[in-house]
Amino acid sequence: MTHLGQKAFAVVTGGILSAAVIVVLGRAGEPREVTNSLGMKLVRVRAGSFQMGADAEPLPPELLSGRGLEVARPSQGDYDESPSHRVTITHSYLMGATEVTVAQYRQFRSDYQGNPEYAPYASGVSWNEAATFCRWLSKKEGTTYRLPTEAEWEYACRAGTNTPFSSGNKPPAPESENAWGLKNMHSGVAEWVLDWHGLYPKTAQMDPVGPAYGIARVVRGGGLDDREAKKGDHEGHFPAELPYYARSSNRASMAPGFDSAKARIGFRVVQAEMPKTKPLAYERPFVQTAVKQTVVDVTRGPDPGKPFFRRRVLFPDLGDQSMRTVGWKIGLARGLGSAYHNSAVQVMPNGDLLAAYYNTPEKEDDPDQTILTMRLRDGANEWDMPEPWPDFADAADAAPVIWNDAGKIWFFWGCSRLLGGYPFQYMTSTNNGASWSEVHFPKLTGEVGKYTPQPINSVARANDGTIYLPTDAKGGRSVLWATKDGGETWFDTGGRTGGRHTTLVVGRDGSLIGFGGKNTNIDGFMPVSISRDGGKTYQIRKTPFNPLGSGQR
């Protein structure tokens, strides 16, 4: 650095002398590096163009299978990485050489603990908290700090390359710099960026900032699903940490309020003005469009004295053709998979049916699994075309449940193995699903036992107003989560039912009755679990019914 020269400047803000800011000058006197008052090193990323999204060449075979992946990855990358398109960054910017560290974050929030597993970098930080940190740092330093846009992040990650990693076909070693002086773009904690998650346009872009709205913010630098590899297949690795999910073009996403302390999401900052680019129009899922708001009598139906049966096909049978190579090209939504199961179906106040399923590339619990949602409109003979929504990319969305709570619609689902995740998340709607609230994560109180973040098919409100939601526990058991304040706080009721995938109803006497359990039986019969103390304890006995198997509910 001696040929560039190094100068230290004392920054005065409001009459208070702050810590020294170290500036390393580049050409024409423009700072090539800056070390700010937090000791955070930022490096200059200059304007330029690159090809954003999936790489043109097929991915190397060693990135596509094995090491705990249940199905081979697509050689073209995930559905949300296409189409590849030309992007021009018209401005230079200073970018954190690494993610924000625990020590730096504690200067903003002194009580922050961090996760030692990801030290020295801050993790378990929500997008909302990261954005607040940037505003605090901007005020502290008298210059604008913010999260990088998704395009700025990928441009800096590639550092002039067009290969899966800035180091070629194999990821670089942790803590090694790319050609532009940036570390950990392919390793360490995943990183929040500025944009809402949405599909790419087909045309070239300048300084893109993503869509105007969404349910999830983009996460870069790694996947989110942490399902352990099966024994004998490189045990101990996690899909989220596999090279496929650390490629320059890979996209994950999560709701901005997600702040699980154990989650592996952190962030790095840029020093640059806020983008002035107009965001892309939000593409509202079709299931949310043209929704009638007239309340109908949903108890009406065909004449019970006359036979009635109608078969409604969900979408065209592609035969032996794949969804990616044929289905997406003939107009079916990108992201639709080839396996669907465990449906949630609910009647809306306007008479429509809203249905949601697991949507998987091939097998359940794939990190690229999403929820598939569709609508059968009141009086229609055909379902609307299904769409992959909601979707937290690379987080294995699972187990949708839809509940009509006297006209207020609750949409619950889980992320099947999200590290440090919550037992469920949910949105609500008061207009028949035409629009939804932000994604909420439960604020858990009291002691929490072991659970699997996979809601089951029923929600119930007890006579005293308490709402109960069952999810799988561990082994052949289920757990009831409860809220007495309309969702402000939730708690583990403490007991465990006699079966996995237990369906809940409230008895006439106010008792909680749980039927069934996956691969669970008493003397060859389905169990029933009855609680008269709000889910703290259960009486478990057999029913006269056959037991459930596999994913039956």
Side-chain angles (χ1 to χ4, degrees), residues 19 115 133 187 231 266 284 300 507:
N115 186 337
F133 173 91
S187 61
K231 291 182 178 180
R284 185 180 299 276
R300 76 184 192 280

Side-chain angles (χ1 to χ4, degrees), residues 11-33:
V11 179
V12 179
T13 304
I16 300 175
L17 187 65
S18 73
V21 175
I22 307 300
V23 178
V24 178
L25 297 179
R27 65 190 183 195
E30 186 180 50
R32 195 192 79 173
E33 294 179 4

Side-chain angles (χ1 to χ4, degrees), residues 39-256:
M40 183 184 294
K41 178 182 174 182
L42 300 103
V43 299
R44 175 70 58 184
V45 178
R46 301 195 182 280
S49 298
F50 75 110
Q51 201 68 18
M52 186 172 182
D55 300 300
E57 296 297 322
L59 296 171
E62 60 268 22
L63 293 180
L64 302 179
S65 62
R67 297 182 67 191
L69 294 173
E70 295 208 7
V71 295
R73 305 293 87 196
S75 62
Q76 308 95 325
D78 292 332
Y79 82 94
D80 60 350
E81 297 174 37
S82 297
S84 177
H85 56 292
R86 194 70 173 169
V87 168
T88 298
I89 305 295
T90 64
H91 58 277
S92 65
Y93 51 97
L94 288 163
M95 187 174 202
T98 69
E99 305 93 334
V100 174
T101 67
V102 172
Q104 291 161 355
Y105 197 72
R106 281 179 180 162
Q107 295 183 59
F108 160 67
R109 208 183 94 191
S110 59
D111 63 343
Y112 175 73
Q113 296 299 313
N115 186 337
E117 185 174 352
Y118 304 115
Y121 303 109
S123 61
V125 177
S126 73
W127 186 95
N128 294 330
E129 291 170 330
T132 302
F133 173 91
C134 291
R135 291 192 292 272
W136 167 83
L137 185 57
S138 298
K139 184 176 180 180
K140 174 180 171 61
E141 302 243 326
T143 189
T144 303
Y145 285 85
R146 58 173 172 81
L147 294 174
T149 67
E150 185 177 18
E152 289 170 343
W153 193 98
E154 185 172 328
Y155 176 59
C157 177
R158 289 186 178 276
T161 66
N162 58 5
T163 48
F165 307 93
S166 61
S167 50
N169 287 338
K170 294 182 179 180
E175 296 294 323
S176 60
E177 294 183 353
N178 68 14
W180 293 355
L182 299 160
K183 294 182 179 181
N184 301 332
M185 305 296 280
H186 300 292
S187 61
V189 294
E191 303 172 24
W192 293 109
V193 297
L194 193 63
D195 305 35
W196 290 105
H197 183 268
L199 295 181
Y200 289 151
K202 297 179 181 179
T203 56
Q205 293 180 287
M206 291 182 121
D207 300 325
V209 293
Y213 179 70
I215 65 168
R217 297 281 185 173
V218 176
V219 177
R220 287 302 201 114
L224 301 177
D225 182 73
D226 80 329
R227 178 174 44 84
E228 292 188 43
K230 291 187 175 181
K231 291 182 178 180
D233 194 7
H234 296 265
E235 186 176 8
H237 288 285
F238 302 99
E241 298 172 352
L242 298 181
Y244 179 87
Y245 293 101
R247 294 172 296 111
S248 298
S249 62
N250 189 75
R251 310 173 76 199
S253 66
M254 182 49 58

Side-chain angles (χ1 to χ4, degrees), residues 255-474:
F258 181 78
D259 62 353
S260 173
K262 296 182 180 179
R264 59 182 297 269
I265 308 178
F267 67 105
R268 73 178 73 211
V269 301
V270 299
Q271 186 188 109
E273 294 301 316
M274 291 299 292
K276 296 180 174 58
T277 313
K278 184 179 179 181
L280 297 173
Y282 173 60
E283 293 188 15
R284 185 180 299 276
F286 188 70
V287 71
Q288 297 178 28
T289 63
V291 178
K292 293 182 178 180
Q293 298 302 323
T294 305
V295 176
V296 302
D297 180 9
V298 297
T299 63
R300 76 184 192 280
D303 182 349
K306 298 179 181 179
F308 177 86
F309 177 79
R310 181 172 294 164
R311 181 172 177 263
R312 293 180 169 92
V313 178
L314 300 184
F315 47 76
D317 182 359
L318 300 180
D320 295 330
Q321 305 298 318
S322 78
M323 187 63 71
R324 176 182 284 268
T325 59
V326 174
W328 300 357
K329 292 181 179 179
I330 64 173
L332 296 179
R334 274 191 284 162
L336 284 180
S338 57
Y340 325 101
H341 66 284
N342 285 45
S343 63
V345 181
Q346 187 56 258
V347 182
M348 300 292 101
N350 67 353
D352 293 356
L353 290 183
L354 198 65
Y357 292 73
Y358 280 72
N359 170 53
T360 65
E362 290 183 33
K363 295 183 179 180
E364 183 180 341
D365 283 351
D366 185 276
D368 292 329
Q369 178 176 284
T370 76
I371 304 298
L372 176 156
T373 304
M374 58 194 147
R375 184 184 293 267
L376 178 64
R377 299 173 191 263
D378 183 42
N381 289 323
E382 303 292 341
W383 286 87
D384 290 349
M385 283 291 183
E387 298 167 282
W389 181 90
D391 178 17
F392 292 158
D394 291 355
D397 305 277
V401 177
I402 307 172
W403 180 44
N404 185 344
D405 180 25
K408 179 180 180 179
I409 309 303
W410 300 63
F411 194 134
F412 296 90
W413 79 101
C415 292
S416 63
R417 300 291 186 272
L418 191 65
L419 180 60
Y422 295 90
F424 56 89
Q425 53 262 330
Y426 63 95
M427 303 176 291
T428 61
S429 174
T430 56
N431 56 8
N432 295 285
S435 62
W436 295 88
S437 70
E438 65 179 318
V439 177
H440 298 283
F441 298 94
K443 181 180 180 182
L444 301 177
T445 61
E447 185 175 348
V448 175
K450 293 183 177 180
Y451 62 85
T452 299
Q454 183 167 287
I456 306 172
N457 63 350
S458 52
V459 188
R461 186 185 288 276
N463 297 335
D464 65 357
T466 303
I467 298 171
Y468 292 96
L469 168 71
T471 75
D472 288 342
K474 292 293 183 180

